Amino acid sequence: MIKMVRLNPLEMDPQQLLVAVKTPEGLNVRDGDVVIDFSFRTDDPDTSFKHQFPVIINDDYRLPDSLTKGLKENESITVMQLSEEDALTMYNAQQAIKEYRRNHDGGAGNIDLNLVSACRDDDFSWGDSRLNLYLKTSDEEDFFLFLRNLDVTKLDDDMQSDFETLPSCAA
């Protein structure tokens, strides 16, 4: 919780921003299933923006002990990050906010991490449909828990316990 309070979205390097998703067996995330929302609002529509950055899987990232410690045999971790293009867009947006604030008072910004979808495979169990999201904002820091026990069956009001509404990963 302390790390979230101290999180300064204008100071983090978007190229170092990582998301880790811990899922139970049978539940997976794919490219775009997690989205970073980054927005800034002012009275001037030319300086306001709302970006949605879908994060993509980084299969080459070596999982740190801090994430694998206590990992159960039936759990897995997927590490995701911004594409190079989205990292550059976020960086440019950060610079625009800093420039605006040097010359003006006000403006309100927001950064959020959202799970927008997930998929199931043959081993999926409705009794084990919760996952955790972790965030890492710098190479020098560890991952920290961002969302805990997020139930994928509650992602959408229409997606209750209907097995057919959670898409198959094979599709």
Side-chain angles (χ1 to χ4, degrees):
M1 193 66 152
I2 291 172
K3 285 191 178 192
M4 284 195 328
V5 170
R6 292 183 181 163
L7 179 67
N8 183 345
L10 299 181
E11 299 304 321
M12 66 181 157
D13 181 349
Q15 291 179 325
Q16 295 180 27
L17 186 61
L18 295 171
V19 176
V21 185
K22 181 169 75 170
T23 54
E25 184 175 45
L27 185 62
N28 298 294
V29 290
R30 300 175 286 192
D31 289 347
D33 284 349
V34 178
V35 174
I36 297 172
D37 292 322
F38 188 52
S39 62
F40 187 65
R41 296 167 307 284
T42 70
D43 292 334
D44 180 0
D46 291 335
T47 59
S48 298
F49 60 82
K50 182 176 182 175
H51 296 296
Q52 289 190 314
F53 301 116
V55 293
I56 56 175
I57 295 173
N58 179 341
D59 288 322
D60 298 326
Y61 188 80
R62 188 177 156 277
L63 292 174
D65 292 340
S66 62
L67 279 181
T68 58
K69 182 179 178 184
L71 191 66
K72 298 175 187 166
E73 189 175 302
N74 67 339
E75 294 175 324
S76 63
I77 295 178
T78 304
V79 175
M80 308 172 95
Q81 67 186 62
L82 294 170
S83 68
E84 286 184 35
E85 180 180 317
D86 286 345
L88 179 59
T89 300
M90 180 182 265
Y91 174 80
N92 289 333
Q94 290 171 310
Q95 301 317 305
I97 293 169
K98 289 177 185 179
E99 179 65 25
Y100 179 85
R101 289 202 168 148
R102 277 192 286 275
N103 299 309
H104 303 88
D105 289 331
N110 185 52
I111 188 167
D112 202 5
L113 182 63
N114 294 300
L115 178 73
V116 295
S117 62
C119 65
R120 63 176 165 79
D121 60 27
D122 293 338
D123 297 327
F124 178 72
S125 166
W126 284 104
D128 195 7
S129 60
R130 297 179 185 275
L131 51 79
N132 293 342
L133 289 175
Y134 299 85
L135 190 62
K136 181 175 178 168
T137 60
S138 162
D139 289 341
E140 291 81 39
E141 295 183 9
D142 288 329
F143 282 90
F144 64 91
L145 184 62
F146 191 84
L147 291 171
R148 182 179 184 180
N149 290 327
L150 184 62
D151 190 342
V152 298
T153 64
K154 306 284 191 255
L155 289 178
D156 185 328
D157 290 338
D158 297 330
M159 187 187 297
Q160 294 303 316
S161 292
D162 180 3
F163 190 70
E164 296 304 315
T165 61
L166 187 60
S168 169
C169 296

